[in-house]
Amino acid sequence: MNAIERTIRDWVIANRILAQNNVLDAYGHVSMRHPERHDRYFLARSISPAIAEVEDIIEFNLDGTPVDPGERRALYLERFIHGGVYEKRPDVKAALHSHADDLLPFSISRTIRLRPVIHNAGDMGHDVPVWDIADKFGDETTLLVTNMEQGRDLADCLDRNRLALMRGHGFISVGRTINDLVRLAVHIPRNARVQLAAMQMGEYKPLSRGEVEARLKLDPEAPTMKRGWEYWARQAGCEALL
Amino acid sequence: MNAIERTIRDWVIANRILAQNNVLDAYGHVSMRHPERHDRYFLARSISPAIAEVEDIIEFNLDGTPVDPGERRALYLERFIHGGVYEKRPDVKAALHSHADDLLPFSISRTIRLRPVIHNAGDMGHDVPVWDIADKFGDETTLLVTNMEQGRDLADCLDRNRLALMRGHGFISVGRTINDLVRLAVHIPRNARVQLAAMQMGEYKPLSRGEVEARLKLDPEAPTMKRGWEYWARQAGCEALL
Amino acid sequence: MNAIERTIRDWVIANRILAQNNVLDAYGHVSMRHPERHDRYFLARSISPAIAEVEDIIEFNLDGTPVDPGERRALYLERFIHGGVYEKRPDVKAALHSHADDLLPFSISRTIRLRPVIHNAGDMGHDVPVWDIADKFGDETTLLVTNMEQGRDLADCLDRNRLALMRGHGFISVGRTINDLVRLAVHIPRNARVQLAAMQMGEYKPLSRGEVEARLKLDPEAPTMKRGWEYWARQAGCEALL
Amino acid sequence: MNAIERTIRDWVIANRILAQNNVLDAYGHVSMRHPERHDRYFLARSISPAIAEVEDIIEFNLDGTPVDPGERRALYLERFIHGGVYEKRPDVKAALHSHADDLLPFSISRTIRLRPVIHNAGDMGHDVPVWDIADKFGDETTLLVTNMEQGRDLADCLDRNRLALMRGHGFISVGRTINDLVRLAVHIPRNARVQLAAMQMGEYKPLSRGEVEARLKLDPEAPTMKRGWEYWARQAGCEALL
């Protein structure tokens, strides 16, 4: 199997796992950078991630135009999120846009920031910026990211981090590998739930700066870090694609 | 397929999707206006929505009497909710009465109002009125809407809005199309959960007036707005009816 | 089918529905009074309710001894709960002991009482007493109700009500018919969740005294009140027993 | 079936039950002491517990080295948790390391301790210590227990108790039998949820010292205490191994 075939299979697995774990549902999407053409990425046609198949994949230029000028299928309005991130961050190989409920309260809070509190979400990093589309694009948008200017502004907000919240909308997250992204994305909502509950009891201990750094240094492809990928693929019924 | 057949099929799909997404359960009901006779609507006989089939549909006059005088099946006690809404709101093509748990705390709170806080529930509108049956009908009712006078009073409370809470009971919601209604109804409970959690953390940002207006202007039948409908129908096992 | 066969079938359905709706799990139990011998009741041998079958039923005297002196199967330690209730309350035809999580916070709170806040749990009644086994039996019990003295004390606490919480343990609920019990039991945990969430937002409106009375006057066997029974039986895979 | 075969089958059942009840997921692990060689224990190769089979079991020395020097499969990085516990506690026959979400807020709270509040978790004991890896090993770890020194330190914190929380990470729990461990582990997250909700309502009553002692004296292999084991095994699809 060549690198492109491997990428496409992994992309299908990622869609299934993220849906199975309620990170994606009818909406949201996950992309992977083209393994040989760093100025391109793979993303689905406009379809719910849980049912995306190999034939639903489309190859995009970073500006959000399909590589195939004959492409006629409906496209995600928000595909510019992915191009913005791949353009700004050469280290990123996979990106995700999700509406997972547990993150949303943190996206609209005026007082509380999401912080890493559980070890397996420690590599979300020290800082989780919150992007408010109204800051630059006014308060009459639909909150959707519908052009490259908005996609780039969101990527600027993400900066060197792994996760950015989008006010009243959801979040984006990125990975050095697809497993790196998926493993983190499964644990981020849990971190949010734990932080919310701990706050309801009073003062709590987040991970220290040193612990976050130690987590970020873990090899995302080590057996321990891949254990989830293999299990979730099996739970999601796509073990055959591993 | 003619307009009536299409309406009935869509009505079955809506029942399945709303049950699958826990908007309806053993109780609650969804109706559609007759596509050719605006003084009639379709609603199930007294049956749980998750198991409603084409043959369970009954055609009603707006006053809640079956069009067929020979109809002998048990009817929903609360069918007057639907007639009241269709009578007052010519723009409404589909209506829903639900008991979804997440909305209920907002229906009984003396201090907090439900507000749009997430983009995909933004078209619930600026204002979500709360109807208390006791205001006009006294405090010895069963809280059920059992006649046209009550149905009309509820519709008056709904007014030009898309959603009204019913104190200690549930909510009604309406749509310009069946998909418009279903898509919103799936996201309303999520909005309630996010608002409750955000409130537990302190001050938060709801959607702005301009954002709500922008959401309300979206075409409810655009591909982005229909993506959920197709996916949920598949999840609910009624893809064949699409 | 005679009254005893009907009772036993209904008892199996009730077990399945209560398990399917998370009112019972590995533990807890539901009983029915013998339809012809009011001094006897039916309860399972020591088995998890979700998997109880017709052949698992045992006929008991009110004092918790099996009618068949040759009965050798393991019995529920807490069967005395049921005898205590049937002895004190001739109007009761079905009784339930559950550990459902959502009720437990109200069973240990020193400040807050469970109150009816949603219409479909309105017939839990005005008052929900809390029984603390330590009040009469000291603070060195296992919290289990293991003899008739304890069962009678619990029944005295329940008094004329439909529901009583057991501190740190669970609750008992009773019905005039099995459907009356099951329908209420499915909605009680929802009432608890709604009340807890509403309290987190500040002041709230419970059902009025008149509304509770109106709910208590509803015929538990009316079509509206049985709609859930039929649906849940189907969901629980025992439609054939209806 | 000899004692070793019985142990291995029980270990598979325990894996399945704990996964089915969300105590374990992709991560976490359960072990059993060797029934004939008290200086050895059984634990899986590096695999998600829900899919562990008989052939995935590995026999370990207490120091975390496989008994078979030819063992080449990937091992859990955190296996030292188990050796530390078995070394310190001769009474312990089964041990568990879990990341269950509901416990985590209590592991990071600076103000609130987990306490037994529901009867079926009463045998968690009076005291639930919280182990913070940073106390002895600094704040630059990944929070993982990766050597015997850390495993022993955690076991020292556990001391004579049945449960210890691990800050920002999860918990360990131990049993006199595998059923003793599994039954408790299923109820611990429920206890945490109930305590959190009760705290949100104000003052509450935990179990008394006498009640905890009474619970700890129950025979973990009595029919009442085994009812869950048999039911959960059936739910988890491994009834045939009973």
Side-chain angles (χ1 to χ4, degrees), chain A residues 143-209:
Chain A
L143 281 84
L144 299 174
V145 174
T146 56
N147 59 48
M148 275 308 285
E149 189 186 358
Q150 292 173 338
R152 285 177 182 132
D153 192 57
L154 172 55
D156 284 344
C157 176
L158 174 67
D159 199 36
R160 311 312 307 162
N161 300 295
R162 293 207 55 193
L163 172 65
L165 304 184
M166 301 161 75
R167 192 264 304 164
H169 182 166
F171 70 87
I172 56 167
S173 186
V174 298
R176 295 158 287 178
T177 65
I178 184 70
N179 174 58
D180 187 38
L181 172 63
V182 166
R183 199 200 54 74
L184 179 61
V186 168
H187 290 105
I188 288 172
R190 295 183 188 179
N191 189 96
R193 287 197 297 274
V194 171
Q195 184 181 349
L196 178 62
M199 287 169 44
Q200 292 174 327
M201 300 196 289
E203 294 290 311
Y204 64 94
K205 289 189 203 177
L207 264 60
S208 73
R209 187 160 287 265

Side-chain angles (χ1 to χ4, degrees), chain A residues 61-109:
Chain A
N61 298 303
L62 292 192
D63 67 1
T65 55
V67 168
D68 176 358
E71 179 61 54
R72 290 292 171 269
R73 292 175 289 180
L75 308 179
Y76 290 133
L77 287 182
E78 296 201 287
R79 61 193 182 278
F80 306 102
I81 291 173
H82 301 269
V85 165
Y86 290 122
E87 191 180 82
K88 184 177 176 78
R89 292 277 299 270
D91 61 313
V92 163
K93 304 301 184 206
L96 166 72
H97 170 52
S98 158
H99 301 162
D101 291 1
D102 293 308
L103 273 290
L104 286 163
F106 291 91
S107 85
I108 63 173
S109 179

Side-chain angles (χ1 to χ4, degrees), chain A residues 19 24-29 46-51 53 74-78 99 101-102 104-106 108-112 132-135 138-144 167-170 196 199-200, chain B residues 117-120 179 183 187 189-191 193-215 217-218 223-232 234-235 239:
Chain A
L24 297 176
D25 51 19
Y27 292 91
H29 19 83
S46 177
I47 190 173
S48 294
I51 52 178
E53 302 280 0
L75 308 179
Y76 290 133
L77 287 182
E78 296 201 287
H99 301 162
D101 291 1
D102 293 308
L104 286 163
F106 291 91
I108 63 173
S109 179
R110 290 184 186 276
T111 54
I112 302 296
D132 187 339
I133 194 171
D135 287 345
D139 72 349
E140 295 185 3
T141 71
T142 58
L143 281 84
L144 299 174
R167 192 264 304 164
H169 182 166
L196 178 62
M199 287 169 44
Q200 292 174 327
Chain B
V117 297
I118 59 174
H119 81 296
N120 39 25
N179 174 58
R183 198 201 55 75
H187 289 105
R190 296 183 188 177
N191 189 96
R193 287 197 297 274
V194 171
Q195 184 182 349
L196 178 61
M199 287 168 45
Q200 292 174 327
M201 300 196 289
E203 294 289 311
Y204 64 92
K205 289 189 202 177
L207 264 61
S208 73
R209 187 160 287 265
E211 287 164 348
V212 168
E213 292 301 324
R215 297 292 310 184
K217 281 181 200 142
L218 290 173
T224 297
M225 304 299 265
K226 291 281 288 209
R227 195 188 307 150
W229 177 263
E230 285 153 18
Y231 168 64
W232 293 318
R234 188 159 153 177
Q235 294 306 98
E239 197 180 6

Side-chain angles (χ1 to χ4, degrees), chain D residues 84-103:
Chain D
V85 165
Y86 290 121
E87 191 180 81
K88 183 177 178 79
R89 291 278 298 272
D91 60 314
V92 164
K93 304 302 184 207
L96 166 72
H97 169 52
S98 159
H99 301 162
D101 291 1
D102 294 307
L103 273 290

Side-chain angles (χ1 to χ4, degrees), chain D residues 127-232:
Chain D
D127 298 304
V128 181
V130 180
W131 183 69
D132 187 338
I133 194 171
D135 287 346
K136 187 156 173 181
F137 301 98
D139 72 349
E140 294 185 2
T141 72
T142 58
L143 281 85
L144 300 174
V145 174
T146 56
N147 58 49
M148 275 308 284
E149 189 187 358
Q150 293 173 337
R152 284 176 181 133
D153 192 57
L154 172 57
D156 284 343
C157 176
L158 174 67
D159 199 37
R160 311 312 308 161
N161 299 297
R162 293 206 56 193
L163 172 65
L165 304 185
M166 301 161 75
R167 191 264 304 164
H169 182 166
F171 71 87
I172 56 168
S173 186
V174 298
R176 295 158 288 176
T177 65
I178 184 69
N179 174 58
D180 186 38
L181 172 63
V182 166
R183 199 200 54 75
L184 178 61
V186 168
H187 289 106
I188 288 172
R190 294 183 189 179
N191 189 95
R193 287 197 296 273
V194 171
Q195 184 181 348
L196 178 61
M199 287 168 45
Q200 292 174 327
M201 299 196 289
E203 294 290 310
Y204 65 92
K205 289 189 203 178
L207 264 60
S208 74
R209 186 160 288 264
E211 287 163 348
V212 169
E213 292 300 325
R215 297 291 313 184
L216 283 164
K217 281 180 200 143
L218 291 174
D219 174 4
E221 299 303 301
T224 296
M225 304 298 265
K226 290 281 289 209
R227 194 187 308 150
W229 177 264
E230 285 152 19
Y231 169 64
W232 294 318

